[in-house]
Amino acid sequence: MRCCLSAPLAAVSALPAPCELLRSGALLAPALLRAASVAVLRRPVHRGRPAHRDAVAAVHLELVTLAEDHAVVTWYTGVPGTHDGLGRMIPAVTEGEVVYGTSPWRLNRTAGEDRPTAYHQVELTDLEPGQTYYYQARSRGVAAAPTPLHLVRGNAVGTVAHGLGTRGGPYCFTTPQPPPGRHLLTIALCNDLHLGETTAGLVGRLPLMRGVSQESGLAPYPEIMSRAMVEEARRRGADLLLAAGDISAGGAPRDLTEAKRILDGFGAHGRDYFVVRGNHDRAALGTCREDCRQCSGMSADTFREGFAGADGSAYFARDVGGLRIVGLDTYEKHGTGADAGGLGGEQLSWFRRQLKEHKEQPTVVFGHHPLTVRDSVFPVTAGQRLRRDQARTILEAYGAAPGVFLHHAGHTHRNKRTLLPQAPHVTLQEVGAVKEYPGGFCLLRIHAGGYALNFYRAGGAAARAWTERSRWVAAGLWPHHALGRSVADRNAVVVRDLSGIRRPTP
């Protein structure tokens, strides 16, 4: 389906500023040339004979989640000398384990999996806060190599560079201290489900942006990933769920209906979960560039019909146990979806009034478009963020509202934590897409004396398989953009007084 583009990749074809092209071109050109050479020489799936019948390669090691008492490590095992047509080795199903300890020379603890797989995920539990741990992931005795993030000078496997540059580590991380005070509330933050999408990362007709589709015979990947996200959020103890837009791929009634059916698995809309509009959920698509049955039979605003509040508005404010939750409709206009996000004048005035009237109350704001996009490996255009003038207005309002502590956004399909001098008390958190790599959600754990943000992947075998397959979006460069330059982009602890929040009555 070509009428619905992945937002961050659409920027490549949206005429970014010359300085953006030069900066990104210097980073991406060598990798794109390598990808082009592979594409030219690529044959259909090659099942070459490995050097040994039991040979296995362990790659793409990532420290996905890091909390005060647990960590989640993932990696992939494939058959050396083969590829599946995307550039990836064909899967090698085998056992996996992580050995770890408090010294790089004494990895005396072991965590394993309950069954063999090619898509490994191991959770290290009973960790001590503030402790440095060293670890190595292994499959059939082969140490897993980390996902390289050299284009962004990133680190996928630890909080320090220990072990980088060696084959298999051991790598190193230090657990944070937990937020002070008793636990009050846990909220799942998610975005970009894209129900109805059939190809991830498709950008027009650019040859290296041909996109990645689901394997034949398997369920649609947006449904697999969305259901797995809901299940994992519930398993992790989320009390509420906030979905920050792009619930559908194009606003079609059947896709929004299916999205609501899946989200209803978490609870009741307007009580247990809340949804705001993204640019893909726009009121009118106009004319697609191709005949697209997905976009036919639409009413004026299908999203509003399915997810509007009692007053018919697509933006809202709710109090939950002393916490104020403000949802913004950042595409309250007609357009193609590739232009900048925007709030209507009435909504912007309402929002500023809300902050002024409740400036001291602990507040979480969520909307689809981020206020700013920084440190992106791909060219950045206006279509990736909220209008500059409105973003400045919102930041000024945050500066005068000390109760606001988090702004959650999607749209960029990446994990990125940003702090700005205009409102240093507000964390601007972009969260990776549900529907593709890194494939998950953020868990906001609120305590009386602060909060923690932790990214988790959607669980289940089918979700892990698609997450690994969709890693090859953008000619395999997607991890440089989407995972997060460092562990801190997807895991953080902030100390501040949130004692005014109380746990809501069930």
Side-chain angles (χ1 to χ4, degrees):
M1 189 176 83
R2 296 181 186 274
C3 61
C4 304
L5 307 183
S6 290
L9 293 181
V12 178
S13 57
L15 297 178
C19 61
E20 284 288 341
L21 284 175
L22 290 173
R23 182 188 64 81
S24 294
L27 285 174
L28 298 174
L32 287 172
L33 287 172
R34 286 195 299 271
S37 65
V38 171
V40 170
L41 298 173
R42 185 176 294 158
R43 300 175 181 176
V45 176
H46 172 58
R47 301 178 181 272
R49 178 175 297 176
H52 186 275
R53 65 185 181 89
D54 292 326
V56 66
V59 295
H60 303 161
L61 178 67
E62 294 168 359
L63 177 61
V64 177
T65 310
L66 180 60
E68 64 272 12
D69 59 357
H70 67 277
V72 180
V73 176
T74 65
W75 71 98
Y76 173 72
T77 47
V79 179
T82 67
H83 68 74
D84 65 353
L86 293 174
R88 180 186 69 164
M89 294 177 289
I90 63 173
V93 176
T94 185
E95 73 286 348
E97 66 174 10
V98 175
V99 292
Y100 62 106
T102 56
S103 167
W105 300 281
R106 191 165 183 264
L107 306 179
N108 59 341
R109 299 172 65 178
T110 303
E113 298 172 290
D114 57 359
R115 68 191 66 182
T117 179
Y119 312 99
H120 304 274
Q121 178 168 307
V122 173
E123 185 162 347
L124 313 182
T125 58
D126 297 324
L127 303 182
E128 296 179 11
Q131 176 66 57
T132 298
Y133 290 91
Y134 301 83
Y135 74 98
Q136 186 177 68
R138 300 171 180 170
S139 289
R140 285 191 205 163
V142 177
T147 293
L149 298 180
H150 55 278
L151 291 183
V152 292
R153 297 181 181 177
N155 183 345
V157 293
T159 58
V160 295
H162 185 281
L164 290 182
T166 64
R167 187 170 182 81
Y171 306 106
C172 168
F173 62 80
T174 300
T175 52
Q177 293 293 337
R182 65 188 181 92
H183 173 254
L184 302 173
L185 187 66
T186 297
I187 304 175
L189 310 176
C190 69
N191 42 263
D192 298 281
L193 284 64
H194 285 233
L195 269 295
E197 184 178 277
T198 57
T199 305
L202 186 65
V203 178
R205 302 182 186 277
L206 298 180
L208 293 178
M209 301 299 182
R210 61 193 180 114
V212 177
S213 300
Q214 178 65 287
E215 292 186 70
S216 177
L218 298 182
Y221 63 83
E223 296 179 18
I224 289 175
M225 298 301 294
S226 298
R227 289 194 176 94
M229 178 274 296
V230 166
E231 182 177 343
E232 187 70 9
R234 294 182 63 188
R235 190 178 78 83
R236 296 282 178 183
D239 301 295
L240 300 172
L241 182 145
L242 307 182
D246 277 6
I247 307 304
S248 66
R254 62 179 174 274
D255 295 333
L256 286 165
T257 299
E258 182 62 23
K260 189 173 187 305
R261 184 181 296 117
I262 292 172
L263 291 172
D264 282 347
F266 185 86
H269 175 244
R271 184 193 69 191
D272 303 308
Y273 76 89
F274 302 90
V275 180
V276 293
R277 188 201 309 272
N279 57 300
H280 281 281
D281 307 312
R282 54 194 177 273
L285 286 172
T287 303
C288 291
R289 288 177 294 164
E290 296 186 2
D291 179 23
C292 184
R293 289 177 296 174
Q294 180 77 16
C295 306
S296 63
M298 295 179 60
S299 65
D301 194 342
T302 308
F303 177 86
R304 188 186 293 265
E305 292 176 5
F307 290 106
D311 61 352
S313 174
Y315 53 89
F316 56 87
R318 299 286 186 275
D319 277 5
V320 180
L323 172 69
R324 193 156 186 82
I325 297 174
V326 180
L328 298 180
D329 180 352
T330 64
Y331 207 76
E332 193 189 31
K333 59 180 181 177
H334 295 289
T336 64
D339 51 337
L343 281 64
E346 181 179 342
Q347 181 184 180
L348 189 59
S349 297
W350 168 89
F351 180 60
R352 296 174 66 185
R353 188 167 61 252
Q354 287 289 320
L355 295 188
K356 187 175 182 179
E357 293 174 357
H358 304 273
K359 61 182 179 180
E360 301 290 343
Q361 185 174 359
T363 301
V364 170
V365 180
F366 75 116
H368 186 62
H369 291 78
L371 302 184
T372 185
V373 177
R374 302 198 171 191
D375 304 319
S376 174
V377 69
F378 294 111
V380 177
T381 65
Q384 290 196 52
R385 57 182 176 247
L386 204 65
R387 278 174 39 186
R388 285 188 182 274
D389 59 332
Q390 293 192 348
R392 284 193 295 268
T393 298
I394 290 174
L395 284 170
E396 290 171 1
Y398 285 168
V404 180
F405 63 91
L406 179 70
H407 183 115
H408 159 220
H411 192 56
T412 56
H413 297 199
R414 67 173 185 167
N415 290 314
K416 180 68 172 69
R417 179 172 178 260
T418 302
L419 299 175
L420 297 178
Q422 298 93 321
H425 58 286
V426 182
T427 296
L428 307 180
Q429 184 67 52
E430 300 164 53
V431 179
V434 169
K435 60 106 173 179
E436 68 196 5
Y437 175 95
F441 62 98
C442 247
L443 210 59
L444 168 63
R445 293 181 291 121
I446 299 175
H447 288 239
Y451 63 91
L453 282 166
N454 295 110
F455 184 78
Y456 292 91
R457 283 206 163 115
R464 293 180 195 174
W466 168 254
T467 297
E468 180 61 30
R469 182 174 176 84
S470 60
R471 167 190 299 272
W472 296 94
V473 161
L477 301 178
W478 200 236
H480 296 272
H481 171 80
L483 178 63
R485 176 177 297 187
S486 69
V487 175
D489 270 332
R490 54 189 180 274
N491 298 277
V493 175
V494 177
V495 176
R496 64 172 292 161
D497 182 14
L498 297 174
S499 57
I501 300 172
R502 61 189 183 278
R503 189 169 183 83
T505 304

